[in-house]
Amino acid sequence: MSTITTPLVDLVGDRTAKALAKAFEMRTADDLLRHYPRRLAQRGELTDLASLEVDDDVTVVAEVVSRTEKGYGKSVRAEVVISDGRGRLQLVFFGQRSLHRTRNLTPGTQGLFAGKVGLFNRTRQLAHPDYVLLSGELDVDAYAGALIPVYPATKDLPTWTIANAVAQVLRMLDPIPDPVPADIRARHRLSGFDAAIRSMHAPASTEEWFRAKHRLVWDEAFGLQLVLAQRRATAAANPAVARPPKPDGLRAAFEAQLPFTLTAGQREVGEVIAGELSRPHPMQRLLQGEVGSGKTVVALRAMLQVVDAGGQAALLAPTEVLAAQHARTIDAMLGPLAHAGQLGGAEQATRVALLTGSLSAGAKKAALLEAAGGAAGIVVGTHALIQEHVQFAELGLVVVDEQHRFGVEQRDALRSKATSPPHLLVMTATPIPRTVAMTVFGDLETSTLSELPAGRAPILTSVVPAAEKPAWVERVWQRIREEVAAGHQAYIVCPRIGAGAAEEDEPSGDDARRPPLAVLDVLPMLAEGPLHGLRIAALHGRLTPDEKDRTMTDFTAGRVDVLVATTVIEVGVDVPNATVMAVLDADRFGVSQLHQLRGRIGRGNNQGVCLLVTEAPEAAPARERLAAVSATTDGFALARLDVEQRREGDILGAAQSGRRSQLKLLSLLRDEATIDAARAEATALVADDPALERQPLLAAQVATLLAADNADYLEKS
């Protein structure tokens, strides 16, 4: 008999084992048994052929209606028609060898047929599909019952080959020990692990299959929450320097000069952060908020509290544009309080240093000296802050902006520059559904800013169907001219830079009709055509830092009317006078990304207008996404839609390297109750047994999740 760690080559033979390793990186029995069926086909129930889409890779259960042989010589072919009783699908096999092989496809025979749906002469067909017949002649355990497992498969490894391998492994496998403690299984009415694995692949009924699936979903949620609970426990056990507020310090002086009143949410979250900074254990907090909800002010108050207590704060931003914007914004908000020892500086003040990879040698040296010597209480930068030669006098707080663009290693590299664990504040302007926050950011406590500051104007969003109504596109350019004539400014966003290959800031879309529109192509077209006479500038990732900074400074100062840009303006750019945005090829962007882009306008007292220009057909899923964005400005509702429309693996980050993940079934939206329960159980278990020494099977499961090949999703947290 065998265990789940037994190599597949010992169980299914060399040929099948090599095929499984090549297609899915499977090497052990456990790898194969965690390759779950995506659905169950009922023997006698045929697939709805009308639901098949061209270019889909499908496995269908259908009945042969007819088989005919056509042509002669090298062009001979067999044409087989299969049906579900309503719709029909054509199978085509070419060559003499296929004629002989397909003679068992006689009318009335049922089988599984796998291939890619094509279209020929307006007829949907599968060319050279793989197939297996469901007749009494097929005597394998995988298809002995009424329910037929249909697995994720490839062209060279069809579902029935996988099913046969699974059946063979299950026959040879010893009972699998259960990693979840009996008391937890009893509390949540979970079936045993061995029974769940076997029922997932060979259930006696659909009810049994769903019970097995529930147990395995629980295991995935529980394993993940154990990892995160251990992280929280480790962080809480670490000592940190307490940074209590100072009644008459920089923070108080800053608050006294604020030209606006903080929102209730800003005050409430600020009090929570102030309390956590005052403790002798490192704060671990995620601050999420709607676009324009005032996260920067909250973060700045926290940074000033740390400076008041003798420490420094480092703000890590993902791009040089955003880092420079943050440095300018903080400097402007602090005014004389940011110019210690300089002409016009306040008596009680600090300095703000900017450190990016492409600063001039002189500017970089000055910033490094201010950080290392402690003159700069606040240091803003990009990945350059992580470099070995960067030192701080007393790093007390790390603020990470747009955390989803950084990994754990980058975050920890900056934290390691402190003599004792610094406090951590993670910010994101991408609204996160609650269950995503509990998993992707599960080692952090979460605060949310949902209230917008007073005086913010509403944003009207409209979809512009360029293919159906080209006159509407002309109206887009006219509207931009009207806004500029009224003294306002505009953004035009393109998916790519242009004149090059794949680009870092190019979004992934589902429309491949033509190359995405590019800044370098669109700008001259507009400057010579509908926007002739306006002051137009480009902003994208290929510009030098000085060019980017000069362009943004000119736009902020009103010396540029229209900024044609890529997604480098997605976060952090704050120009209240910008009132209109046209997003070209809007269907190429994700829902949350469009919401972020839209947040660049409507930041002043004037109403913002966002125009989503698309050539996607009206019935396309992309148009549904755009309609959803135009229908609401609720970022959390849109974030939930974004999760629903994207693969779970993408959310968790498991697909980042193309490697396999241990998370196959968990849905962050559908399984909210399971994630809640698993989090509570994991927290209690880790509190009682931090290293899981009394639970060796669970400890092994956690170790597997943390292994290099499976930890990519945790790099998001």
Side-chain angles (χ1 to χ4, degrees):
M1 299 294 282
S2 306
T3 69
I4 58 173
T5 60
T6 301
L8 282 173
V9 67
D10 297 338
L11 300 172
V12 299
D14 186 61
R15 183 178 177 182
T16 302
K18 284 182 178 177
L20 291 167
K22 180 180 179 182
F24 298 108
E25 297 185 27
M26 299 178 191
R27 291 178 176 83
T28 67
D30 187 55
D31 292 340
L32 176 60
L33 295 179
R34 290 186 184 276
H35 188 74
Y36 305 122
R38 61 160 52 116
R39 63 184 174 90
L40 297 177
Q42 182 86 33
R43 188 182 289 275
E45 287 186 5
L46 306 181
T47 303
D48 177 13
L49 299 183
S51 65
L52 304 183
E53 299 282 346
V54 173
D55 290 333
D56 279 353
D57 286 302
V58 299
T59 298
V60 301
V61 184
E63 183 173 307
V64 176
V65 174
S66 65
R67 177 186 178 279
T68 57
E69 297 180 7
K70 296 185 176 181
Y72 58 89
K74 292 183 178 179
S75 62
V76 70
R77 67 187 184 277
E79 293 184 358
V80 179
V81 176
I82 59 175
S83 172
D84 60 0
R86 298 176 299 279
R88 295 192 172 199
L89 184 66
Q90 185 183 67
L91 314 179
V92 183
F93 303 86
F94 297 96
Q96 285 290 346
R97 183 178 292 181
S98 293
L99 291 187
H100 296 295
R101 185 169 72 86
T102 61
R103 289 210 166 117
N104 58 353
L105 294 177
T106 56
T109 304
Q110 288 188 2
L112 277 83
F113 304 89
K116 176 171 281 192
V117 181
L119 193 66
F120 182 73
N121 285 340
R122 299 187 180 180
T123 299
R124 285 176 305 158
Q125 63 175 212
L126 303 180
H128 274 284
D130 287 314
Y131 68 90
V132 62
L133 300 183
L134 302 177
S135 64
E137 301 170 5
L138 187 66
D139 187 19
V140 293
D141 290 352
Y143 298 122
L147 296 172
I148 302 166
V150 179
Y151 292 90
T154 67
K155 180 180 181 298
D156 298 323
L157 194 69
T159 178
W160 46 86
T161 300
I162 299 171
N164 289 341
V166 168
Q168 190 169 336
V169 168
L170 288 177
R171 279 199 304 270
M172 303 172 69
L173 199 65
D174 285 330
I176 309 170
D178 202 316
V180 176
D183 59 329
I184 293 179
R185 296 202 307 270
R187 270 197 296 277
H188 299 281
R189 299 179 180 179
L190 301 173
S191 57
F193 183 68
D194 183 77
I197 283 287
R198 294 176 189 275
S199 295
M200 193 67 187
H201 295 283
S205 65
T206 53
E207 291 77 13
E208 183 179 290
W209 190 68
F210 281 114
R211 280 198 303 274
K213 191 174 182 180
H214 173 68
R215 164 60 205 262
L216 297 172
V217 166
W218 169 272
D219 279 24
E220 290 186 1
F222 190 43
L224 177 57
Q225 293 302 328
L226 282 169
V227 172
L228 297 171
Q230 286 184 323
R231 279 197 181 173
R232 292 194 299 272
T234 299
N238 283 334
V241 177
R243 309 285 181 179
K246 187 177 178 182
D248 56 350
L250 272 173
R251 196 186 92 168
F254 166 67
E255 291 169 351
Q257 70 178 28
L258 274 176
F260 54 83
T261 303
L262 296 174
T263 66
Q266 286 173 320
R267 288 195 301 273
E268 181 180 339
V269 172
E271 288 173 8
V272 170
I273 291 174
E276 290 184 342
L277 291 174
S278 304
R279 298 173 188 165
H281 298 287
M283 175 179 73
Q284 298 260 107
R285 184 157 292 277
L286 166 67
L287 175 60
Q288 63 169 332
E290 278 285 13
V291 175
S293 58
K295 295 179 294 300
T296 303
V297 173
V298 173
L300 182 52
R301 293 176 74 211
M303 289 189 277
L304 293 174
Q305 179 174 329
V306 170
V307 173
D308 280 337
Q312 292 169 288
L315 172 56
L316 181 62
T319 67
E320 292 196 344
V321 169
L322 183 52
Q325 176 76 29
H326 273 314
R328 276 195 301 267
T329 300
I330 291 172
D331 188 89
M333 292 176 76
L334 289 177
L337 298 175
H339 301 146
Q342 298 173 342
L343 188 64
E347 183 177 338
Q348 182 183 35
T350 187
R351 289 189 193 174
V352 180
L354 174 65
L355 184 59
T356 62
S358 50
L359 286 177
S360 67
K364 187 176 295 185
K365 183 178 180 181
L368 289 171
L369 287 173
E370 289 193 334
I378 298 173
V379 182
V380 183
T382 56
H383 296 75
L385 290 178
I386 302 171
Q387 302 303 313
E388 288 184 12
H389 60 274
V390 179
Q391 296 180 335
F392 292 85
E394 179 68 25
L395 183 58
L397 171 65
V398 171
V399 181
V400 183
D401 194 19
E402 293 306 311
Q403 164 65 24
H404 63 283
R405 301 196 185 188
F406 295 100
V408 171
E409 291 181 1
Q410 293 166 315
R411 188 177 81 186
D412 287 346
L414 182 53
R415 295 166 74 187
S416 69
K417 294 182 180 297
T419 53
S420 61
H423 300 279
L424 174 68
L425 179 63
V426 166
M427 299 194 298
T428 177
T430 303
I432 304 170
R434 178 174 170 272
T435 45
V436 178
M438 281 198 303
T439 46
V440 181
F441 298 98
D443 60 338
L444 308 174
E445 300 300 326
T446 303
S447 293
T448 301
L449 289 175
S450 54
E451 181 184 359
L452 294 179
R456 282 291 171 89
I459 301 173
L460 297 179
T461 305
S462 299
V463 177
V464 179
E468 301 150 39
K469 299 184 178 180
W472 286 25
V473 179
E474 296 305 314
R475 177 61 183 135
V476 169
W477 313 132
Q478 184 182 350
R479 183 59 189 268
I480 288 173
R481 295 193 75 96
E482 290 170 358
E483 290 295 317
V484 172
H488 304 309
Q489 292 161 281
Y491 297 102
I492 296 173
V493 182
C494 301
R496 58 191 292 265
I497 301 170
E503 298 166 11
E504 186 177 300
D505 55 358
E506 180 179 336
S508 56
D510 54 10
D511 179 8
R513 291 170 297 167
R514 57 160 171 73
L517 293 173
V519 170
L520 299 181
D521 300 325
V522 167
L523 190 149
M525 180 272 293
L526 294 176
E528 296 167 9
L531 301 186
H532 179 69
L534 300 187
R535 296 170 296 175
I536 306 178
L539 185 67
H540 54 74
R542 287 195 205 147
L543 297 176
T544 67
D546 284 345
E547 289 171 330
K548 292 176 190 173
D549 194 57
R550 188 162 54 250
T551 300
M552 276 309 306
T553 299
D554 287 345
F555 189 66
T556 303
R559 293 188 290 271
V560 169
D561 299 318
V562 180
L563 195 63
V564 182
T566 59
T567 55
V568 294
I569 65 161
E570 183 182 346
V571 290
V573 175
D574 185 6
V575 180
N577 193 47
T579 56
V580 61
M581 171 180 287
V583 183
L584 308 186
D585 280 346
D587 48 287
R588 312 260 182 171
F589 299 86
V591 169
S592 292
Q593 194 171 35
L594 288 171
H595 182 60
Q596 290 300 308
L597 289 167
R598 175 172 59 184
R600 298 310 103 208
I601 57 174
R603 302 178 76 85
N605 297 320
N606 298 295
Q607 186 176 71
V609 177
C610 181
L611 305 167
L612 306 176
V613 183
T614 177
E615 291 183 0
E618 188 173 5
R623 283 287 289 275
E624 293 180 19
R625 294 201 308 270
L626 298 183
V629 174
S630 68
T632 181
T633 55
D634 184 342
F636 288 93
L638 291 174
R640 191 173 182 90
L641 174 66
D642 208 16
V643 174
E644 288 171 353
Q645 293 187 340
R646 293 165 61 192
R647 295 186 305 164
E648 296 293 336
D650 292 334
I651 301 297
L652 294 173
Q656 293 301 307
S657 68
R659 294 167 173 165
R660 293 172 48 260
S661 168
Q662 293 293 308
L663 304 182
K664 303 292 182 66
L665 302 171
L666 186 67
S667 166
L668 299 183
L669 298 183
R670 184 184 63 239
D671 299 318
E672 183 171 357
T674 299
I675 293 170
D676 262 337
R679 180 182 173 94
E681 292 286 5
T683 301
L685 193 61
V686 168
D688 181 58
D689 184 10
L692 300 178
E693 293 176 349
R694 298 193 297 275
Q695 304 293 339
L697 294 176
L698 273 182
Q701 183 178 347
V702 168
T704 302
L705 280 171
L706 288 174
D709 282 358
N710 298 306
D712 290 324
Y713 68 93
L714 289 173
E715 293 299 301
K716 291 288 189 180
S717 62

